Amino acid sequence: MTTITPNNPPFPAYRSTDKGSFAWDSTVRRWPSILDNAIADLEKAIDKSTDDQARQEGKKIRDAIVDLKNEMAADRPLRLIADKEDDTADWNRHLATYFAGATWFGGTWLFNECYMYRRLRESFSNSTCWRQYDPFGDQKLATFRGSHGSVFDLAHKMPTLIQPMTVEQHEIVYDELIQVCLWGNATDLSLLTNMTEEDIKRLQAIEKDKLAEQKKKILVDNIEPLWQKIKSLQGSRVDFVLDNTGFEVYVDLILADWLLQSGKASQVVFNCKTIPWFVSDVMPQDIPILFDACLDRKFFPGHETRSEEDFTALETMVRRWKSYVEDGRLIVREHKFWCSGLPYWYLKQEAPELFEDITKSDLAIFKGDLNFRKLVFDCDWPVTTPFKTAIGPDMANEFTSIASLRTNKAETIVGMKEGVKEELEKTVTPLEWRCSGKYAVVQYNSPS
Ligand code: F6P
Ligand code: MG
């Protein structure tokens, strides 16, 4: 058996050399378009700036991003990272150890996609005036604005979800919230180049009948085993390894709020990214930005027609969330490992203190597609491979219980029952069920 490395997963890696694949489409179309959007927003910011140094540096950054696009199109080798951030040495060690000579098409899709966001960061890191600038900040806020309908609906619902209730009632609430939290992952801005606004609205639906309809699209459904775990929690710590800001983290906050109010959790830890990542991923600073947006009565479109009850429902809830942060019931933190290019099979080796720390938690909920890809090494597993096998021995047996709530936006998948794929493909193309974000999985593992 050959040795498993990040460039040599247990099953074949997805690579952009495979013409026509989703990885290939990313490299030739989606990533350049993501970089174009970042350039457009940066140019607006440069135009607005009155500081000469900022304008000059801004133009240099824009040129560096254009160079990055050209390198990609010419399939150049992945060069070392040239800045002085906390993770620069790690990135360069991974490049030299595992990806020496790899190119934009020839490296693994997972590593290369992460590398693109790290290179984008490099162009800002090396400046003085733009170190704190988020090239996706405007897009993040604009999309959150578009979620106003479901934002207010959920805020109105919240008091009924957190009132005292029986175990049976809790299960009903859980069943609904877990799905809202799952489908909230559809609001990922790195895939918006493939989805219509209508698609997103439908996936954000919170009404019961719509959720029941959506449930049919959960291809691996461990909602019940996950409930058995959540039911048993009492005054526990629950970690979220977050994905996207905006509507997704808003629904994560709703779930966290319910866990705290029901007494199942006494502490929730939000694990965030350190740098602008996959367009919409949460960095710690996105949380106060989201709170402020919700507390600004003019933020959402149609605010003129909103009632006092609408605002009060939202504000009461968001102020409670702020108080959780203030009194430490909600910890918002970051770690550089979440922005490395390695699968989580390497979490224990690369970030032992993080691994140990989350192991103290009673449950870790991994949100979204990229976290799923990293959990299962982003490779072409037989679709019926058990989740426990695909997450590797450390995560399967030595870590805490984990749940993965993911809408499918990439080819890799595991844990399907025999025959489900074949039945599905009678009516749906592989690209549709694997990559469109309209199908999903809820996977669960408890350590044995
Ligand atoms: O598949 C499209 C894509 O951008 C992937 O590259 C990436 O894994 C994913 O979407 C990001 O989605 P999420 O925000 O759910 O992690
Ligand atoms: Mg994301």
Side-chain angles (χ1 to χ4, degrees):
M1 190 180 151
T2 54
T3 318
I4 292 173
T5 71
N7 199 9
N8 186 36
F11 279 83
Y14 299 101
R15 296 182 199 268
S16 306
T17 37
D18 183 6
K19 215 168 169 190
S21 67
F22 197 59
W24 173 84
D25 177 65
S26 290
T27 314
V28 299
R29 187 186 63 80
R30 213 163 44 79
W31 298 345
S33 136
I34 286 168
L35 293 178
D36 282 340
N37 289 340
I39 292 174
D41 279 10
L42 172 64
E43 282 176 341
K44 277 191 221 146
I46 297 172
D47 283 348
K48 269 197 217 148
S49 170
T50 49
D51 176 334
D52 271 354
Q53 189 191 355
R55 290 173 63 86
Q56 267 178 23
E57 279 189 351
K59 286 177 189 156
K60 266 175 99 178
I61 296 171
R62 184 199 51 207
D63 294 347
I65 306 176
V66 172
D67 288 348
L68 178 59
K69 275 182 61 189
N70 292 338
E71 263 182 45
M72 203 182 272
D75 194 19
R76 303 285 299 269
L78 309 178
R79 68 152 170 81
L80 297 182
I81 300 290
D83 62 18
K84 295 194 178 88
E85 297 287 345
D86 287 349
D87 65 347
T88 310
D90 296 332
W91 264 99
N92 288 341
R93 180 169 47 83
H94 301 157
L95 279 158
T97 315
Y98 304 122
F99 291 92
T103 65
W104 277 99
F105 282 72
T108 66
W109 180 40
L110 174 66
F111 187 81
N112 286 15
E113 191 163 26
C114 296
Y115 175 77
M116 180 189 82
Y117 288 96
R118 184 58 183 82
R119 281 286 305 277
L120 180 64
R121 174 63 195 157
E122 177 199 281
S123 52
F124 291 94
S125 301
N126 284 328
S127 76
T128 314
C129 308
W130 299 86
R131 286 186 55 79
Q132 304 303 323
Y133 179 76
D134 178 357
F136 307 121
D138 288 352
Q139 293 178 62
K140 289 173 174 176
L141 275 180
T143 313
F144 186 46
R145 274 198 182 89
S147 312
H148 56 99
S150 301
V151 164
F152 281 101
D153 286 353
L154 277 165
H156 275 294
K157 242 183 170 185
M158 203 55 190
T160 58
L161 300 181
I162 58 175
Q163 69 197 352
M165 53 181 74
T166 63
V167 179
E168 291 72 28
Q169 287 167 327
H170 265 149
E171 185 171 3
I172 295 169
V173 172
Y174 158 81
D175 214 51
E176 195 173 331
L177 282 187
I178 210 73
Q179 279 200 73
V180 168
C181 202
L182 167 67
W183 294 109
N185 176 239
T187 326
D188 149 38
L189 303 188
S190 74
L191 200 69
L192 271 192
T193 47
N194 290 15
M195 269 207 199
T196 65
E197 210 173 307
E198 268 318 296
D199 285 336
I200 303 239
K201 288 246 152 56
R202 189 171 37 76
L203 292 172
Q204 285 184 351
I206 60 161
E207 298 87 2
K208 274 221 166 71
D209 52 336
K210 292 204 181 133
L211 284 178
E213 194 50 38
Q214 284 297 116
K215 199 164 186 185
K216 296 179 195 148
K217 301 214 165 145
I218 302 178
L219 301 178
V220 180
D221 182 350
N222 284 178
I223 288 179
E224 170 55 26
L226 176 57
W227 166 242
Q228 291 310 321
K229 175 72 191 179
I230 290 183
K231 190 165 89 172
S232 75
L233 298 179
Q234 219 182 358
S236 304
R237 167 176 157 189
V238 176
D239 275 52
F240 284 66
V241 181
L242 293 177
D243 186 359
N244 303 302
T245 192
F247 186 71
E248 179 164 6
V249 81
Y250 178 86
V251 292
D252 295 337
L253 281 156
I254 299 247
L255 183 61
D257 195 0
W258 176 73
L259 287 166
L260 289 167
Q261 290 290 323
S262 62
K264 295 189 181 308
S266 58
Q267 186 174 60
V268 172
V269 180
F270 273 8
N271 294 278
C272 306
K273 307 298 190 303
T274 44
I275 61 173
W277 193 248
F278 283 70
V279 186
S280 39
D281 282 21
V282 184
M283 297 182 285
Q285 57 265 42
D286 290 314
I287 301 290
I289 292 176
L290 182 117
F291 290 168
D292 288 348
C294 291
L295 295 174
D296 172 357
R297 289 192 169 194
K298 295 201 170 114
F299 176 76
F300 290 107
H303 58 85
E304 307 83 355
T305 58
R306 288 275 165 203
S307 64
E308 188 57 31
E309 289 75 47
D310 285 340
F311 289 123
T312 308
L314 183 60
E315 287 163 7
T316 307
M317 186 177 72
V318 173
R319 291 212 179 96
R320 189 167 60 241
W321 295 350
K322 283 182 92 165
S323 77
Y324 295 153
V325 176
E326 280 151 19
D327 65 23
R329 273 182 288 173
L330 176 61
I331 308 270
V332 178
R333 67 181 194 181
E334 60 186 5
H335 195 288
K336 63 180 178 172
F337 181 74
W338 307 124
C339 295
S340 88
L342 302 191
Y344 297 155
W345 282 47
Y346 295 85
L347 174 55
K348 188 175 176 200
Q349 174 188 313
E350 289 285 326
E353 75 303 339
L354 180 65
F355 186 94
E356 288 307 320
D357 179 70
I358 302 185
T359 301
K360 289 187 211 132
S361 186
D362 295 283
L363 173 69
I365 301 176
F366 286 77
K367 292 297 313 286
D369 189 67
L370 178 64
N371 277 325
F372 181 83
R373 286 170 66 194
K374 287 188 161 186
L375 279 167
V376 305
F377 223 128
D378 203 34
C379 63
D380 192 12
W381 296 97
V383 299
T384 51
T385 308
F387 185 56
K388 199 181 229 356
T389 308
I391 59 180
D394 296 345
M395 295 297 278
N397 303 318
E398 294 181 36
F399 201 55
T400 188
S401 297
I402 65 174
S404 170
L405 309 183
R406 172 239 188 175
T407 62
N408 304 355
K409 303 173 197 162
E411 279 134 332
T412 194
I413 190 155
V414 296
M416 289 175 88
K417 292 204 176 112
E418 282 302 336
V420 171
K421 168 181 178 290
E422 290 70 18
E423 193 54 36
L424 198 58
E425 290 184 354
K426 287 182 183 160
T427 51
V428 185
T429 65
L431 199 67
E432 173 75 2
W433 71 264
R434 285 181 189 256
C435 302
S436 68
K438 295 170 195 165
Y439 290 78
V441 297
V442 176
Q443 309 255 16
Y444 176 70
N445 179 68
S446 69
S448 36

